[in-house]
Amino acid sequence: MDKKDIAGIRKQMKVDHDLMKISDIFNVYIMKETTEIFHHQSQPFEMLDRDQQELFMNNFKKVLTGQLDEKLFELKFQREAENHTQLILHKGLLSSDVEDWKQQMLHMTEKMIQDQPYEKDVVITFIRAEYLKPTKRRNEEAEESERDTVYSHPFILCSVNKTQEPKKEWLFDYVEKEFKYNIDVDPVIDLNTPMGGFLFPTFTNHTADVNHILYAAGKAHEPDPHFIEEVLNGEEPMTAKEDKAVFEEVIRGVVGDELNPSTLANVYGEINRVVEENEEDEAPTLGYRDVERVLTESGETVDSEKVKSAFQTVTDNESYELKASNIVPKYNSKSIKINTKVANISISPQDLQFVKQVNYKGKRCIMIEVDEDAEIDGFKMLPEAFGDE
């Protein structure tokens, strides 16, 4: 799944959207610090009040919000595992009987609470739905509307939500003219900040892939290894941070700790070109030969065996491949950090070529080439003479 596929589903998570059909919703209440199901309830989604539907739709969209390899992770199922999640979810997906679907989701819930009780009461919500994607008409003169033919993609989505403690308040009763202590006994379910969830199966263009599952972490860069491996039976993913760290260590292993800003700008520029050229295809990856090519085209003289050895040292696998999109900083943001003891500077990757470290009057200085007057808090900086006078 890429960001466009995920955005396509999220965009249709609206009440009354004609391309998103949610048939059933199943809520399971779990008491804190227990491994037992306290209560569960299933009903057709259309039977909920519209306000309730809006709350849940917002919750589902938040589960599917975030960057790939940061908060959302497409996981490949492990080949072998006891009580395999892939089989449970596939049975639930194919079931035409609501009771059978509920049993599969209860089975899934038991896996989720078996070894790691939650610290607070939580509600686990499952929906089964159908995501419809229209085919595009071949030309503008075609009589058929693009919605005359659609691809149908059934799926299961899960959201895990914590509860909030009931409010305790001191009130004044105007009628009785007295102060009262009031406490709500019903916990509030926090649908605005889901703790995690998943989508099964994944989708690429018009094709469903039951061999993968999309896992949503509660926070970016903090996937839950136990949930991934033991609950979802997925293979452990590499986060974007980890891919970036591996790339940096490999580069250090090849060229050392020192690198000209212009060379680094060329490296990022070359990787960004690879990402943009393959934007419509599967996410491009970089093996050790690709890293060697990127460094060479960026002006560095490198030894092929040294690159291969660096990959082996850092990853324990010379055939390891890095996701190119995880390595290159976002070109439309000031995502490169230049750190000094005096000041920290943020700059965009393409502007690294204008940065140099120079010696001025016996001191090391950062010099940034600009083509217009620089400003500080709205004031233009006065130019100063550069030299020893």
Side-chain angles (χ1 to χ4, degrees):
M1 266 185 116
D2 61 23
K3 60 183 180 181
K4 289 183 179 179
D5 295 311
I6 297 169
I9 297 177
R10 191 172 61 241
K11 185 178 179 181
Q12 293 178 195
M13 286 288 183
K14 298 177 182 177
V15 176
D16 298 331
H17 199 295
D18 62 334
L19 295 176
M20 178 64 66
K21 310 294 183 184
I22 301 178
S23 54
D24 297 287
I25 184 168
F26 185 40
N27 292 300
V28 186
Y29 197 97
I30 309 296
M31 299 288 284
K32 66 180 180 180
E33 299 176 351
T34 68
T35 55
E36 295 180 0
I37 295 172
F38 181 73
H39 177 70
H40 59 80
Q41 178 179 314
S42 172
Q43 62 188 120
F45 190 75
E46 63 183 10
M47 297 300 291
L48 297 176
D49 293 338
R50 186 180 181 87
D51 288 345
Q52 289 180 296
Q53 292 180 352
E54 293 280 4
L55 282 172
F56 279 112
M57 283 296 195
N58 183 58
N59 174 250
F60 302 149
K61 281 193 285 189
K62 290 191 173 182
V63 171
L64 298 176
T65 297
Q67 296 295 321
L68 280 167
D69 299 322
E70 293 183 8
K71 191 170 180 292
L72 300 175
F73 301 86
E74 184 175 18
L75 309 175
K76 184 178 181 180
F77 284 113
Q78 300 169 13
R79 290 187 178 182
E80 295 181 4
E82 293 184 6
N83 192 22
H84 210 301
T85 288
Q86 182 183 21
L87 182 59
I88 296 171
L89 293 176
H90 200 222
K91 284 182 178 178
L93 191 70
L94 297 178
S95 177
S96 58
D97 181 68
V98 175
E99 288 301 317
D100 182 50
W101 177 69
K102 285 169 52 180
Q103 289 305 312
Q104 298 302 331
M105 296 308 100
L106 286 173
H107 196 173
M108 194 67 225
T109 302
E110 289 167 358
K111 288 193 68 173
M112 295 168 72
I113 63 177
Q114 182 176 5
D115 297 321
Q116 284 194 332
Y118 292 97
E119 295 179 357
K120 292 186 175 183
D121 291 7
V122 300
V123 173
I124 302 174
T125 300
F126 299 95
I127 59 168
R128 59 174 181 170
E130 186 180 24
Y131 161 53
L132 303 173
K133 188 167 184 179
T135 59
K136 293 181 179 179
R137 54 187 176 186
R138 295 182 180 178
N139 58 65
E140 295 298 326
E141 297 178 358
E143 294 182 3
E144 269 191 353
S145 164
E146 65 173 7
R147 292 196 175 187
D148 287 346
T149 306
V150 296
Y151 290 95
S152 171
H153 300 303
F155 67 88
I156 292 171
L157 184 140
C158 170
S159 176
V160 182
N161 301 285
K162 62 187 175 185
T163 61
Q164 299 173 344
E165 295 293 329
K167 288 184 178 180
K168 299 176 182 179
E169 300 172 316
W170 199 41
L171 308 176
F172 179 73
D173 189 326
Y174 280 101
V175 177
E176 300 294 332
K177 293 184 179 179
E178 63 178 352
F179 294 99
K180 290 182 179 180
Y181 175 67
N182 180 66
I183 180 172
D184 290 330
V185 296
D186 297 325
V188 177
I189 301 164
D190 183 6
L191 294 177
N192 290 318
T193 53
M195 299 168 62
F198 59 81
L199 172 78
F200 174 84
T202 60
F203 303 101
T204 302
N205 292 325
H206 301 306
T207 307
D209 182 1
V210 296
N211 293 313
H212 288 81
I213 186 169
L214 186 71
Y215 161 65
K219 295 181 180 179
H221 304 294
E222 295 183 15
D224 183 344
H226 175 270
F227 195 91
I228 288 171
E229 296 181 40
E230 301 301 326
V231 176
L232 298 182
N233 302 135
E235 295 181 356
E236 184 179 0
M238 284 288 282
T239 67
K241 265 188 175 180
E242 290 169 333
D243 258 352
K244 184 78 185 314
V246 167
F247 176 74
E248 290 172 357
E249 283 301 311
V250 169
I251 296 300
R252 287 191 186 95
V254 176
V255 302
D257 291 330
E258 298 180 351
L259 199 64
N260 288 329
S262 58
T263 301
L264 189 58
N266 291 335
V267 168
Y268 285 144
E270 179 62 24
I271 297 175
N272 187 64
R273 183 187 63 78
V274 171
V275 172
E276 289 182 343
E277 287 181 353
N278 294 274
E279 193 172 5
E280 300 298 326
D281 303 321
E282 190 174 343
T285 57
L286 301 174
Y288 75 89
R289 294 188 184 279
D290 299 300
V291 172
E292 177 192 351
R293 177 184 57 78
V294 166
L295 287 172
T296 301
E297 293 183 1
S298 301
E300 289 290 319
T301 303
V302 296
D303 179 77
S304 180
E305 286 302 316
K306 198 170 184 179
V307 179
K308 184 177 179 181
S309 175
F311 256 77
Q312 178 68 40
T313 301
V314 176
T315 67
D316 292 327
N317 179 9
E318 67 182 39
S319 61
Y320 183 84
E321 293 187 333
L322 303 157
K323 282 190 178 180
S325 58
N326 290 344
I327 297 168
V328 64
K330 295 177 181 177
Y331 260 49
N332 58 353
S333 66
K334 298 185 184 299
S335 51
I336 299 292
K337 309 298 181 186
I338 302 174
N339 300 318
T340 73
K341 290 184 178 179
V342 177
N344 296 325
I345 304 168
S346 297
I347 196 167
S348 55
Q350 64 268 37
D351 293 332
L352 269 176
Q353 59 184 312
F354 304 116
V355 179
K356 289 181 175 60
Q357 179 173 279
V358 299
N359 287 317
Y360 173 59
K361 292 185 178 181
K363 295 181 180 181
R364 283 179 292 185
C365 301
I366 298 293
M367 184 176 73
I368 303 176
E369 180 186 337
V370 296
D371 58 4
E372 56 187 14
D373 290 331
E375 291 187 2
I376 300 178
D377 283 344
F379 294 94
K380 289 185 178 181
M381 293 179 65
L382 287 173
E384 298 182 36
F386 184 79
D388 295 326
E389 63 275 6

